[in-house]
């Protein structure tokens, strides 16, 4: 409580762990313990391009009585099959599974990123793939490297 006000619970929806190479350093059990200590009802895991920590998240959240939210911050490219030289525009999109079908779609997208769209060291998907597997997913635009934010930063509000 701050100065007589009730504090409302929140859940962080854009969280990277040690599985986000060169971007996250948090251990998943420590994340869940900290979320529980703050009274957070849930904790999302949205590592870059991978879902490697999902089982660990589920176990840690059960241990600390916090609801796990399964997610992934996918790398979005114009065409996942493109292999031409030159500059590659790659944006981030945070996806959260809202339903069991959404979880399965997230797994399909993460796998497709590696199997079909691995470009310049990153598992990449395109908007067509995301649209084909959008059922049960929630997309967030908040990351600074999202297409939305990059258009805003470049002064292209109409495209954002």
């Amino acid at each position: 409580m701050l100065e007589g006000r009730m504090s409302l619970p929140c859940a962080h929806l854009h969280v990277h762990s040690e599985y986000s190479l060169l971007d996250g350093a948090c251990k998943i059990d420590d994340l869940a313990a900290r979320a529980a200590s703050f009274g957070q009802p849930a904790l999302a895991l949205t590592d870059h391009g991978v879902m490697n920590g999902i089982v660990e998240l589920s176990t840690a959240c059960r241990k600390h009585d916090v609801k796990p939210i399964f997610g992934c911050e996918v790398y979005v490219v114009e065409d996942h099959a493109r292999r031409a030289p030159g500059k590659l525009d790659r944006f981030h999109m945070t996806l959260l599974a809202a339903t069991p079908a959404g979880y399965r779609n997230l797994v399909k997208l993460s796998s497709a990123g590696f199997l079909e769209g691995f470009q310049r060291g990153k598992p990449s998907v395109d908007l067509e793939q995301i649209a084909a597997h959008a059922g049960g997913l929630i997309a967030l635009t908040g990351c600074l490297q999202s297409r939305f934010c990059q258009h805003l930063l470049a002064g292209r509000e109409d495209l954002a």
Side-chain angles (χ1 to χ4, degrees), residues 8-82:
L8 298 174
C10 75
H12 291 280
L13 300 178
H14 186 180
V15 179
H16 298 309
S17 74
E18 60 193 324
Y19 292 105
S20 285
L21 299 179
L22 303 177
D23 192 40
C26 299
K27 302 229 180 276
I28 293 172
D29 189 69
D30 293 343
L31 284 169
R34 190 70 165 169
S37 76
F38 285 143
Q40 295 178 343
L43 174 67
L45 185 63
T46 56
D47 283 314
H48 281 288
V50 299
M51 296 180 62
N52 298 349
I54 294 299
V55 171
E56 196 175 333
L57 176 72
S58 184
T59 301
C61 284
R62 192 174 321 118
K63 174 181 167 185
H64 297 286
D65 198 28
V66 175
K67 178 184 177 182
I69 300 173
F70 305 131
C72 184
E73 187 169 4
V74 297
Y75 296 104
V76 182
V77 294
E78 193 66 37
D79 178 5
H80 77 277
R82 178 179 182 254

Side-chain angles (χ1 to χ4, degrees), residues 75-85 88-90 112-120 122-129:
Y75 296 104
V76 182
V77 294
E78 193 66 37
D79 178 5
H80 77 277
R82 178 179 182 254
R83 297 294 181 268
L88 176 67
D89 286 332
R90 182 179 9 236
F114 281 98
L115 296 173
E116 302 168 17
F118 200 75
Q119 298 184 37
R120 304 203 178 127
K122 307 261 188 219
S124 304
V125 294
D126 57 35
L127 290 178
E128 187 175 308
Q129 289 174 299

Side-chain angles (χ1 to χ4, degrees), residues 99-115:
T99 65
Y103 174 79
R104 290 188 297 276
N105 280 326
L106 202 53
V107 170
K108 289 175 187 175
L109 287 168
S110 178
S111 297
F114 281 98
L115 296 173

Side-chain angles (χ1 to χ4, degrees), residues 12-16 20 23 46-49 72-76 90-96 122 138-154 160:
H12 291 280
L13 300 178
H14 186 180
V15 179
H16 298 309
S20 285
D23 192 40
T46 56
D47 283 314
H48 281 288
C72 184
E73 187 169 4
V74 297
Y75 296 104
V76 182
R90 182 179 9 236
F91 301 99
H92 297 185
M93 181 184 288
T94 305
L95 300 174
L96 303 173
K122 307 261 188 219
I138 297 170
L140 306 178
T141 59
C143 174
L144 191 57
Q145 292 303 315
S146 71
R147 182 177 297 215
F148 173 76
C149 290
Q150 287 298 302
H151 283 318
L152 285 180
L153 289 172

